[in-house]
Amino acid sequence: MSPHFQPVALEHASRLINHGPTVLVTSVHGGRRNVMAAAWSMPVEFTPPRIAVVIDKSTFTRELVMASGAFALCLPGAGIVDLTYAVGSDSGRDTDKFERLGIAARPGPVLGMPVIEAGCAAWLECRLIPERHTEAAYDTCFAEVVAAAADARVFSNGRWHFGDDNAALQTIHHLGAGNFVRAGGVLRAKA
């Protein structure tokens, strides 16, 4: 083994490949709403568009998602990294995090899930695809994306555009313990 490589505790091994954008998972049911941060989400199918996200079964968000059958994923930009960390650090079971933290949200166009645009690069409104085994065993929820929108300053024509002029909207990626990196510094491969 190279002297530059050191063993990694298995409890931290997932951080080695966890470079997908941190997302804000929003949910609403029975007049209650919540928002939480999640580091593990990914696309799983193109047509129809489907995604997977890990939402721990002990969270208030998971309770609302299971009751409503829906949620939204909002992609926070670097400009709201502190807010992202705050919503991921405490529960919304006893307080409305939207109100407490001054988060503006509007109902999504298809399912009415709270979508956050201020400071976010994009959002996806999602209908839960019940997969009880993966939900129970792995806290992984699958969903079909029924509506999506992105800030054209950072995403247009089906592509991300990261530059000096949109750094505050560039997606953030959680490295653990409140540390994030911002997408950017794009390198173009030669054919």
Side-chain angles (χ1 to χ4, degrees), residues 29 34 40 59 61 70 77 84 95 102-103 109 116 127 139 159 191:
H29 181 73
N34 198 37
W40 294 350
T59 64
T61 293
T84 301
T95 182
I103 302 169
I116 303 167
R127 180 179 291 117
D139 289 328
R159 303 215 184 283

Side-chain angles (χ1 to χ4, degrees), residues 75 77 79-80 116-122 149-171:
L75 281 67
I80 61 169
I116 303 167
E117 294 182 341
C120 286
D151 189 315
R153 294 173 294 178
V154 71
F155 187 92
S156 61
N157 300 318
R159 303 215 184 283
W160 289 103
H161 308 284
F162 297 132
D164 293 339
D165 62 334
N166 62 15
L169 289 173
Q170 292 173 17
T171 58

Side-chain angles (χ1 to χ4, degrees), residues 6-190:
Q6 297 296 314
V8 172
L10 292 182
E11 66 195 34
H12 300 300
S14 63
R15 293 180 183 167
L16 298 175
I17 58 171
N18 183 31
H19 290 85
T22 296
V23 296
L24 302 178
V25 182
T26 64
S27 53
V28 64
H29 181 73
R32 303 223 28 224
R33 62 186 178 171
N34 198 37
V35 56
M36 65 168 265
W40 294 350
S41 66
M42 65 179 185
V44 295
E45 194 168 334
F46 293 116
T47 308
R50 294 183 179 153
I51 58 93
V53 62
V54 174
I55 307 171
D56 189 283
K57 67 183 67 58
S58 68
T59 64
F60 183 52
T61 293
R62 175 75 172 268
E63 190 177 307
L64 294 175
V65 168
M66 291 296 121
S68 69
F71 58 90
L73 298 182
C74 304
L75 281 67
I80 61 169
V81 68
D82 293 339
L83 178 70
T84 301
Y85 190 61
V87 302
S89 298
D90 58 4
S91 174
R93 192 174 302 280
D94 299 320
T95 182
D96 184 328
K97 287 193 252 183
F98 288 91
E99 273 186 32
R100 186 168 53 83
L101 298 169
I103 302 169
R106 66 176 184 81
V110 177
L111 303 171
M113 291 297 108
V115 295
I116 303 167
E117 294 182 341
C120 286
W123 56 259
L124 301 88
E125 196 175 23
C126 305
R127 180 179 291 117
L128 186 68
I129 300 169
E131 292 288 345
R132 299 305 178 224
H133 173 71
T134 58
E135 292 163 3
Y138 308 110
D139 289 328
T140 302
C141 299
F142 290 91
E144 181 175 343
V145 178
V146 297
D151 189 315
R153 294 173 294 178
V154 71
F155 187 92
S156 61
N157 300 318
R159 303 215 184 283
W160 289 103
H161 308 284
F162 297 132
D164 293 339
D165 62 334
N166 62 15
L169 289 173
Q170 292 173 17
T171 58
I172 55 177
H173 308 262
H174 193 234
L175 302 177
N179 295 302
F180 294 81
V181 293
R182 174 177 48 86
V186 176
L187 304 172
R188 178 167 295 281
K190 294 179 183 170

